[in-house]
Amino acid sequence: MTTFFISCWFANSLKKYAVFDWSIEQKWMSILLPCLIGYNNPLFPMMFLVNSWIPGLVDAFAQATFLCALLLFWLCIYHGLRQNERKFLTFYLPKVFLIAMLWFPAIILSTWEKVNELEDPTYNHEVDTSNYYVVQSFFYIFSVVYVVYLGLLILRAYTELRSMPFFDLRLKFLTLLMLIVLTISLVITFLRFGVGFLEDNFVARLSTHYTSSAQFMAFYGLLNFYLYTMAYVYSPGNSSSHEFGITKDNPAFSMINDSDEDVIYGSDEESRRPLNRSRNDDDSD
């Protein structure tokens, strides 16, 4: 219910602006907040009321979708801050393909054993090792590719934007929150599973078992408060910044704790150019 109310509040705060004027962070928040509602599993009581595997499948689908959307958000945000021209084929499609290669194995790993156990109570994934390890290896390979790709995007973003006003602030805020979420998640995972967190039954145990209510609240509360914090920061303030025609990806519009200085981005044609121009385009003095 809290996530639903925050989603409505965030959408209401942006309704007076045209979608074209939303920053990339605000566009992604309008996607992540509804996905967060599904991640919180509002259909959880149906697992007790309905004798079916469908509620569990819907929960696994919603969780995998939200987590993959969050991973896609990190890729797009670190690349999008350096690139104003974001075409689907060149900007989004490679990232969507990479995340899809993580989404499909995650769905299979989280539902495979459940569905087979309902059809055959004696089923054990350790017997079906050939197919299971293929999917698991596929997931780990693309996870490594994702980590390397994200690391390169973060490195390039800090290299090219660290000296630019406002953009440096956006980078620091994004990175700080992301590091907090990843650090706490890794610590909780290590405390829960120890050195066996890469065992073959890791996915099945992760989605079904918690040793205490603190672990349950830590996993769900961490991502919820992470999204709540970003929704608060990226919600537009009460200033009249929407009266100007330079609000698209303007950090003064997307961050409420902005500076009072006016930043002139130039003409609309120039503002659409990529931020990382080649050296040949620079004026030679």
Side-chain angles (χ1 to χ4, degrees), residues 184-195 197 211 215:
I184 296 178
S185 299
L186 292 176
V187 170
I188 295 174
T189 302
F190 180 79
L191 293 177
R192 172 66 180 89
F193 300 101
V195 295
F197 71 97
T211 58
Q215 292 181 354

Side-chain angles (χ1 to χ4, degrees), residues 39-40 215-228:
Y39 173 78
N40 290 330
Q215 292 181 354
F216 175 83
M217 290 300 297
F219 273 113
Y220 280 86
L222 176 65
L223 292 177
N224 276 269
F225 284 109
Y226 172 58
L227 267 293
Y228 297 164

Side-chain angles (χ1 to χ4, degrees), residues 208-263:
T208 56
H209 292 84
Y210 298 95
T211 58
S212 66
S213 59
Q215 292 181 354
F216 175 83
M217 290 300 297
F219 273 113
Y220 280 86
L222 176 65
L223 292 177
N224 276 269
F225 284 109
Y226 172 58
L227 267 293
Y228 297 164
T229 303
M230 289 198 298
Y232 173 74
V233 172
Y234 294 134
S235 62
N238 296 324
S239 61
S240 58
S241 59
H242 64 281
E243 296 178 358
F244 301 93
I246 57 172
T247 55
K248 181 174 176 58
D249 277 346
N250 182 356
F253 174 71
S254 61
M255 302 285 289
I256 61 172
N257 296 323
D258 56 350
S259 173
D260 293 333
E261 299 178 359
D262 293 329
V263 180

